[in-house]
């Protein structure tokens, strides 16, 4: 039995090594060198050998690990297997602990301006991940153009605040509303499509929005973007050193001026926005609208047979997800003070989607960890920037091997009869 | 309800036809179903039974024909013109599927709440009242859970209420699909081979469940069935299809003795389809 296993694993590893060698041949095996006599081709056969050898041992090691950890590596687990009847008390406690840490983070001894700024960035992606989770995780619609709504939110804030001088708190719902309207606009024609087709169309939509922003110079500033976007104020008190119109934040509170105030304020602002998103999702999952989204993900035909309008339900999911991207976009614009189409390229959509998939579709806490991993870590290891995509790919492969349903994929029911029975007695 | 009054006709199918390419899957079919009655549709594999259900529930649009559903209050619905989800929501024709279609990753109770979506959505004022946790919504949700509990008890699934629907054994999944359909408060309940894959004991329990549904709610039931023991024991009325056309229509006893029916079943290539009761009938006819 073990001999047989060893044989299949060896064959498996050999095949993998062969594929690796084939790939390594053009990628590593040849090298152009520029010498006095002109260009010449160098051959680096050992490198090809190393690559094949590494893949061979790696493949064998994975086989052994899989054997050791048994079911943990089982990639064929079905939807109902990630279901847990346990309300996840441990997870809820853990969530509260995370919130507590997030609240005191700026006051911790090791916290500095840089850390809080990075945490702000991570929180933007947590919020975007949660927003996209409504569309992808709950409703099961693969959206590759989510960044478009983020861009619409950012430009909506920048233009409204700059041209009409509307305050951030008024712009925020307007930007969300605008993004949601675009979500509906896009949703109407495309939500008949399923799976791959929907993914392609949303991908196209994301690019269309970016191209429009780039070319509609009179309104969006074209490739130059919009600068001097109004910065946030503390209920009307600006965070600048001096202000011609009234007292500034530090003057009002009698503090010495410090640029840190604004950074801390932005941090708490995005924390509040993200928590609002989280509360919204937790609540809507328990409402008929949220249950219909999940039911739609599970079986659209069955939904129709029970009187659920699939088009309206999908539109609602799309618009709701887009709305949160709009909020996040407004925040992004006020934080940066400058926006341009470059910030909203396809890779952003890919990162947000990766956060959702890596976190475990539908899992709120999983998304926090995935955002830390995919957005936070690269920020800390800036010097390793060139390896970022490599690490990205490696992380994805590992997750697919180890936890094909994401870091923390599990779903507990939104209502339980057991608990109701307990409460009654 | 007065026992003497005749059951009211609630479904009337007139000259229904649907074609897939060169195949006439349903051919000029007319029949009716009545309140407080179980109407069985039987026929060999590929006779077009599921296709008829798909026409009734709006999943297919028939090429020709009229499907009229009448509610107790006299309102008429022309089903061939309505969208599938509106047929379930407004005309209240609710179906189950030949291949079970549950929301596998959701709990049993959640499955039953999704079936009450339209009413709950209205009570939650499209999520506004629900978001704010207003008492009007909480009351509606409580009623919905009570209804779910009622059908869970009827289908003996109450102990599994918080389990994932996809983790239930096969027979329980079949019952859950019926419970889910009942939570949608149907006027006409369409069951597509509910006894398929059940053991004899489970099959017997299913009969009792269907009779209980009829007795308790008066819901008209349209039943596609292969298992003749189910058909003969509980149906009030049997319609036999073959190659998309109706070949017999009447009481179970009358249909069992019908020559055309016997021929239809004999004519099918896979004689394993032959129901035992018919086999007896054929033996008699042959004599
Ligand atoms: N969507 C479809 N496209 C083409 N042919 C179909 C379709 N649905 C059903 N049919 C055909 O119609 C015939 C009747 O099928 P069906 O109604 O499923 O039979 P059954 O009586 O076994 O339920 C079969 O020959 C089937 O292949
Ligand atoms: Mg069928």
């Amino acid at each position: 039995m073990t001999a047989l296993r060893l044989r299949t694993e060896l064959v498996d590893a050999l095949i993998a090594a062969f594929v690796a060698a084939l790939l390594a041949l053009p990628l590593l095996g040849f090298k152009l060198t520029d010498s006095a006599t002109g260009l010449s081709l160098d051959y680096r056969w050992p490198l090809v050998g190393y690559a094949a050898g590494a893949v061979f041992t790696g493949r064998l090691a994975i086989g052994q690990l899989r054997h050791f950890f048994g079911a943990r590596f089982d990639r064929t687990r079905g939807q109902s297997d990630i279901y847990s009847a346990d309300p996840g008390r441990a997870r809820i406690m853990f969530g509260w602990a995370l919130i507590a840490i997030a609240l005191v983070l700026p006051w911790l001894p090791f916290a500095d301006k840089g850390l809080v700024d990075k945490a702000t960035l991570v929180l933007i992606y947590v919020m975007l991940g949660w927003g996209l989770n409504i569309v992808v995780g709950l409703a099961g619609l693969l959206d590759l153009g989510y960044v478009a709504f983020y861009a619409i939110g950012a430009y909506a804030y920048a233009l409204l605040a700059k041209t009409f001088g509307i305050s951030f708190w008024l712009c925020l719902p307007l930007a969300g509303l605008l993004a949601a309207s675009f979500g509906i606009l896009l949703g109407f024609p495309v939500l008949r499509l399923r799976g791959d087709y929907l993914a392609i169309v949303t991908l196209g939509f994301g690019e269309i929005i970016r191209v429009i922003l780039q070319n509609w110079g009179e309104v969006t500033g074209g490739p130059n973007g919009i600068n001097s976007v109004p910065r946030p104020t503390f209920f009307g008190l600006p965070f600048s050193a001096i202000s011609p119109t009234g007292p500034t934040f530090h003057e009002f509170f009698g503090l010495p001026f410090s640029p840190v105030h604004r950074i801390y304020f932005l941090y708490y602002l995005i924390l509040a926005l993200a928590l609002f998103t989280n509360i919204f999702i937790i609540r809507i999952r328990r409402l008929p609208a949220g249950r219909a989204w999940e039911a739609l993900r599970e079986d659209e035909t069955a939904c129709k047979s029970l009187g659920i309008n699939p088009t309206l339900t999908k539109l609602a999911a799309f618009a709701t997800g887009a709305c949160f991207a709009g909020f996040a976009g407004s925040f992004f614009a006020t934080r940066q003070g400058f926006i341009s189409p470059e910030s909203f390229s396809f890779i952003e959509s890919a990162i947000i989607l990766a956060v959702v998939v890596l976190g475990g579709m539908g899992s709120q806490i999983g998304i926090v960890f995935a955002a830390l991993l995919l957005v936070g870590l690269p920020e800390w290891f800036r010097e390793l920037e060139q390896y970022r995509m490599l690490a990205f790919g490696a992380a994805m492969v590992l997750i697919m091997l180890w936890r094909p349903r994401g870091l923390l994929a599990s779903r507990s029911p939104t209502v339980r009869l057991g608990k109701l029975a307990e409460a009654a007695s | 309800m007065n026992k003497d009054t005749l059951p009211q006709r609630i479904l009337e199918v007139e000259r229904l036809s649907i074609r897939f390419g060169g195949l006439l899957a349903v051919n000029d079919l007319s029949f009716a179903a009545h309140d407080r009655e179980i109407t069985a549709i039987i026929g060999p594999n590929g006779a077009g039974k599921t296709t008829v259900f798909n026409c009734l529930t709006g999943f297919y649009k028939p090429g020709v024909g009229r499907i009229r559903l009448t509610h107790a209050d006299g309102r008429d619905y022309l089903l061939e013109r309505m969208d599938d989800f509106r047929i379930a929501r407004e005309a209240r024709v609710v179906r189950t599927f030949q291949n079970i279609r549950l929301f596998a990753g959701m709990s049993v109770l959640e499955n039953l709440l999704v079936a009450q979506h339209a009413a709950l959505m209205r009570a939650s004022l499209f999520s506004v009242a629900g978001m704010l946790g207003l008492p009007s919504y909480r009351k509606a949700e409580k009623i919905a859970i009570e209804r779910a509990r009622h059908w869970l008890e009827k289908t003996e699934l109450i102990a599994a209420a918080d389990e994932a629907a996809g983790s239930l054994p096969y027979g329980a999944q079949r019952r859950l699909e019926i419970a889910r359909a009942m939570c949608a408060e149907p006027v006409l309940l369409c069951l597509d081979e509910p006894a398929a894959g059940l053991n004899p004991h489970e099959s017997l329990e299913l009969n009792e469940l269907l009779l209980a549904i009829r007795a308790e709610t008066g819901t008209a039931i349209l039943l596609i069935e292969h298992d003749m023991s189910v058909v003969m024991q509980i149906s009030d009325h049997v319609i036999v299809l073959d190659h998309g056309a109706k070949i017999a229509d009447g009481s179970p006893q009358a249909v069992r003795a019908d020559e055309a029916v016997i021929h239809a079943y004999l004519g099918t290539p896979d004689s394993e389809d032959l129901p035992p009761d018919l086999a007896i009938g054929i033996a008699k006819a042959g004599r």
Side-chain angles (χ1 to χ4, degrees), chain A residues 186-228:
Chain A
L186 166 70
F188 253 126
V190 308
L191 284 178
R192 287 172 195 285
L193 306 173
R194 282 170 193 242
D196 312 351
Y197 300 105
L198 180 67
I200 291 168
V201 174
T202 51
L203 177 85
F205 179 73
E207 282 301 289
I208 289 171
I209 293 289
R210 196 180 57 80
V211 170
I212 290 176
L213 293 178
Q214 198 141 29
N215 291 294
W216 195 11
E218 306 92 83
V219 177
T220 65
N224 298 328
I226 302 174
N227 53 20
S228 54

Side-chain angles (χ1 to χ4, degrees), chain A residues 224-403:
Chain A
N224 298 328
I226 302 174
N227 53 20
S228 54
V229 177
R231 308 307 309 269
T233 59
F234 186 81
F235 301 100
L237 302 171
F239 287 97
S240 47
I242 42 161
S243 161
T245 53
T248 65
F249 177 78
H250 71 97
E251 284 168 1
F252 187 85
F253 286 98
L255 299 165
F257 171 75
S258 159
V260 163
H261 292 157
R262 177 190 287 156
I263 290 172
Y264 281 23
F265 173 71
L266 282 171
Y267 173 77
Y268 281 114
L269 184 58
I270 187 68
L271 184 62
L273 286 174
L275 286 180
F276 170 71
T277 312
N278 192 21
I279 293 169
F280 178 90
I281 294 175
I282 289 175
R283 296 213 75 148
I284 197 114
R285 272 195 61 206
R286 296 188 186 141
L287 292 181
R291 287 202 197 104
W293 290 339
E294 292 201 70
L296 208 62
R297 175 194 69 203
E298 302 277 317
D299 195 323
E300 185 170 337
T301 304
C303 278
K304 286 197 250 174
S305 81
L306 295 169
I308 294 174
N309 181 342
T311 315
L312 267 187
T313 310
K314 285 182 191 174
L315 270 182
F318 232 67
T320 313
C323 181
F324 285 107
F327 293 158
S330 297
F331 175 81
F332 177 78
T334 190
R335 172 178 181 253
Q336 303 296 102
F338 162 74
I339 50 172
S340 74
E342 255 170 64
S343 313
F344 308 104
S345 56
F346 168 68
I347 191 73
E348 292 297 312
S349 283
I351 291 177
I352 303 165
L353 187 67
V355 164
V356 174
V357 174
L358 194 68
M361 299 227 237
S363 161
Q364 300 287 94
I365 288 186
I367 284 172
V368 176
F369 282 106
L372 275 171
L373 214 69
L374 291 183
V375 183
L377 275 189
E379 284 297 312
W380 264 278
F381 299 102
R382 278 246 165 212
E383 45 301 4
L384 302 179
E385 179 78 33
Q386 50 177 328
Y387 296 110
R388 182 175 178 174
M389 277 301 154
L390 193 67
F392 209 88
M396 281 297 172
V397 170
L398 278 181
I399 286 292
M400 286 305 128
L401 276 174
W402 176 47
R403 300 219 128 174

Side-chain angles (χ1 to χ4, degrees), chain B:
Chain B
M1 231 180 257
N2 190 347
K3 280 248 171 196
D4 297 337
T5 55
L6 276 171
Q8 204 191 341
R9 169 176 290 201
I10 73 159
L11 176 76
E12 192 166 357
V13 176
E14 273 177 273
R15 316 208 63 168
L16 184 73
S17 293
I18 185 167
R19 182 182 282 282
F20 298 114
L23 176 81
L24 199 55
V26 175
N27 181 5
D28 202 23
L29 174 71
S30 303
F31 70 93
H34 297 83
D35 217 5
R36 286 177 284 140
E37 274 195 3
I38 297 179
T39 306
I41 301 182
I42 66 170
N45 260 334
K49 307 180 294 291
T50 301
T51 307
V52 171
F53 268 27
N54 281 334
C55 290
L56 291 183
T57 49
F59 286 95
Y60 293 165
K61 293 290 163 217
V64 189
R66 160 169 292 194
I67 308 170
R68 180 199 298 273
L69 186 92
T70 313
H71 279 190
D73 62 7
R75 253 183 305 172
D76 267 347
Y77 297 87
L78 295 179
L79 302 187
E80 79 277 7
R81 296 186 190 166
M82 290 170 72
D83 280 332
D84 39 23
F85 68 90
R86 283 184 54 224
I87 289 180
R89 184 189 296 181
E90 289 160 29
R92 299 204 168 277
V93 177
V94 184
R95 69 176 294 182
T96 66
F97 295 87
Q98 190 168 349
N99 318 310
I100 307 174
R101 282 180 176 275
L102 292 171
F103 306 121
M106 301 173 80
S107 81
V108 168
L109 180 59
E110 284 174 316
N111 267 268
L112 300 191
L113 291 183
V114 171
Q116 305 176 55
H117 177 80
L120 281 174
M121 200 68 182
R122 239 175 287 123
S124 79
L125 293 176
F126 301 91
S127 303
V128 177
M131 269 290 164
L132 302 174
L134 296 188
S136 64
Y137 172 70
R138 271 191 254 142
K139 199 170 140 216
E141 191 181 36
K142 203 178 237 167
I143 293 172
I145 290 174
E146 276 318 306
R147 180 172 297 131
R149 186 202 297 274
H150 174 78
W151 287 109
L152 286 176
E153 275 161 6
K154 285 272 171 214
T155 50
E156 293 171 16
L157 288 170
I158 195 85
D162 298 330
E163 312 270 315
S167 69
L168 295 183
Y170 187 81
Q173 293 198 12
R174 283 256 177 235
R175 275 179 288 148
L176 174 57
E177 212 187 9
I178 296 174
R180 188 178 68 180
M182 286 314 293
C183 278
E185 298 192 90
V187 165
L188 176 67
L189 176 66
C190 301
L191 303 173
D192 197 344
E193 302 204 17
L198 300 190
N199 63 35
H201 175 69
E202 287 173 326
S203 186
L204 219 62
E205 281 183 346
L206 177 73
N207 285 0
E208 271 156 30
L209 175 64
L210 297 188
L211 290 174
I213 288 174
R214 182 180 64 174
E216 187 185 313
T217 66
T219 307
I221 298 177
L222 211 53
L223 175 74
I224 292 180
E225 195 43 85
H226 252 25
D227 185 339
M228 278 313 219
S229 69
V230 175
V231 173
M232 293 303 154
Q233 279 167 30
I234 67 169
S235 47
D236 302 294
H237 191 105
V238 181
I239 292 153
V240 190
L241 289 190
D242 187 30
H243 292 107
K246 184 167 87 174
I247 56 171
D249 185 345
S251 71
Q253 291 75 23
V255 164
R256 179 158 39 180
D258 192 292
E259 294 237 353
V261 177
I262 294 162
H263 274 267
Y265 271 90
L266 263 183
T268 45
D270 53 339
S271 54
E272 275 165 34
D273 256 8
L274 202 62
D277 284 326
L278 271 186
I280 298 166
I282 290 162
K284 277 185 197 151
R287 238 179 259 149

